[in-house]
C-alpha cells in the first residue's frame, strides 16, 4: 500500500482529530503529564543545585581549614544562592539550567597588605575564593610585609609566597556528576579554572 500525504494534510488531520472528544481527552492527559513532569523536573533541579551548594561548602571547608584567617573566606560560602531553574536550547536540545552564584552583596575582593607608608603591596584581588581554589605563586623575588587590615591585631605579617591549588570547585562538581548521572554538565566560571 502506497500512502502519499503532505505535511499540511497531516497537520490538518491531526488538528481535526484533536477537536474530537477522544482527541481532547488524550491532549489534556498529555498536557497534565507534561505539567506534572515539569514540576517534578524543576524540583529535582533545585534539589541537585542545593546539593551542589552543600557539597561545595563541605569540600571548601575541609580543604581551606579552620583558622582565624581562613574563617572570613569560608563565610563567603554562606552567601551561595541558586537561580530559578530555566530551560536553555543548545543545538536543538533543551537543557535544564540552574546558576549557582555568590550573592551580589558578598564582596569577594581583598585589598593587598598595607605598608607603613600607607601604600599597598599590590593591586589586591577580585575574588578571594578563586585564589584559594586556583592557588598562586608570587612572581617577585621578595615577599612583601604589611598589615592585613581587620586581622592579626594590626601587626605586620609576611605575605605567603605560594598557596597550593585547593580545587574545591572542581571536586564538588565531579562528585555531583558521579552522584547524579543524568546531570549533563556542571560548568564553572572561567575564574575557577
Amino acid at each position: 500500500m502506497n500512502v502519499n500525504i503532505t505535511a499540511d494534510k497531516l497537520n490538518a488531520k491531526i488538528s481535526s482529530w484533536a477537536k474530537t472528544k477522544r482527541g481532547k481527552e488524550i491532549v489534556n492527559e498529555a498536557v497534565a503529564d507534561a505539567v506534572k513532569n515539569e514540576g517534578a523536573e524543576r524540583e529535582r533541579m533545585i534539589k541537585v543545585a542545593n546539593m551542589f551548594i552543600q557539597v561545595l561548602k563541605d569540600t571548601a571547608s575541609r580543604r581551606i581549614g579552620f583558622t582565624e584567617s581562613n574563617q572570613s573566606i569560608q563565610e563567603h560560602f554562606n552567601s551561595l544562592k541558586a537561580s530559578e531553574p530555566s530551560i536553555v536550547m543548545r543545538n536543538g536540545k533543551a537543557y535544564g539550567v540552574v546558576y549557582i552564584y555568590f550573592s551580589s552583596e558578598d564582596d569577594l575582593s581583598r585589598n593587598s597588605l598595607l605598608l607603613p607608608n600607607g601604600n599597598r603591596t599590590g593591586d589586591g584581588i577580585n575574588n578571594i575564593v578563586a585564589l584559594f581554589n586556583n592557588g598562586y605563586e608570587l612572581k617577585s623575588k621578595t615577599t612583601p610585609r604589611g598589615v592585613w587590615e581587620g586581622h592579626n591585631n594590626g601587626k605586620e605579617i609576611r605575605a605567603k609566597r605560594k598557596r597550593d591549588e585547593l580545587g574545591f570547585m572542581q571536586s564538588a562538581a565531579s562528585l555531583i556528576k558521579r552522584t547524579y548521572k543524568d546531570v549533563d554538565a556542571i560548568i564553572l566560571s572561567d575564574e575557577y579554572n
Side-chain angles (χ1 to χ4, degrees):
M1 180 168 141
N2 188 5
V3 177
N4 194 3
I5 188 166
T6 66
D8 287 340
K9 285 183 181 178
L10 182 60
N11 282 334
K13 288 190 177 292
I14 291 171
S15 193
S16 182
W17 171 82
K19 293 176 184 170
T20 67
K21 182 178 178 184
R22 181 68 183 138
K24 288 178 184 177
E25 287 173 0
I26 290 175
V27 168
N28 286 337
E29 285 174 21
V31 168
D33 284 347
V35 168
K36 186 174 97 182
N37 288 338
E38 181 181 311
E41 183 61 25
R42 180 184 175 282
E43 291 304 313
R44 176 151 168 60
M45 290 169 65
I46 290 170
K47 176 185 174 189
V48 172
N50 287 332
M51 182 59 69
F52 178 76
I53 288 172
Q54 190 58 52
V55 166
L56 182 55
K57 284 180 179 181
D58 294 345
T59 305
S61 180
R62 279 193 313 277
R63 294 198 177 175
I64 291 171
F66 294 99
T67 66
E68 181 185 337
S69 60
N70 293 346
Q71 183 179 355
S72 67
I73 289 115
Q74 289 192 22
E75 287 173 0
H76 290 294
F77 290 93
N78 293 329
S79 79
L80 281 170
K81 296 191 181 316
S83 71
E84 274 296 310
S86 60
I87 302 298
V88 172
M89 295 299 291
R90 191 167 282 158
N91 298 327
K93 185 175 177 188
Y95 293 93
V97 175
V98 177
Y99 296 95
I100 312 253
Y101 57 94
F102 290 96
S103 168
S104 60
E105 292 87 42
D106 193 4
D107 182 9
L108 300 178
S109 69
R110 291 289 185 279
N111 289 325
S112 292
L113 297 177
L114 185 64
L115 296 169
N117 65 7
N119 292 331
R120 299 221 174 256
T121 58
D123 295 329
I125 187 159
N126 291 329
N127 186 331
I128 191 70
V129 174
L131 180 135
F132 272 73
N133 185 73
N134 304 340
Y136 70 89
E137 188 166 358
L138 290 177
K139 292 177 176 70
S140 69
K141 301 278 188 227
T142 60
T143 306
R145 294 182 63 85
V147 174
W148 184 17
E149 293 173 295
H151 300 276
N152 207 34
N153 296 321
K155 296 178 186 168
E156 262 193 15
I157 60 168
R158 184 173 297 282
K160 284 189 169 231
R161 288 206 50 73
K162 180 179 181 187
R163 183 173 295 282
D164 291 332
E165 175 183 320
L166 298 179
F168 44 80
M169 292 280 187
Q170 293 80 357
S171 291
S174 178
L175 179 61
I176 291 298
K177 290 272 298 156
R178 285 192 314 270
T179 304
Y180 298 96
K181 302 285 187 206
D182 59 333
V183 172
D184 287 321
I186 296 176
I187 301 168
L188 300 175
S189 170
D190 288 344
E191 63 192 324
Y192 297 106
N193 292 313

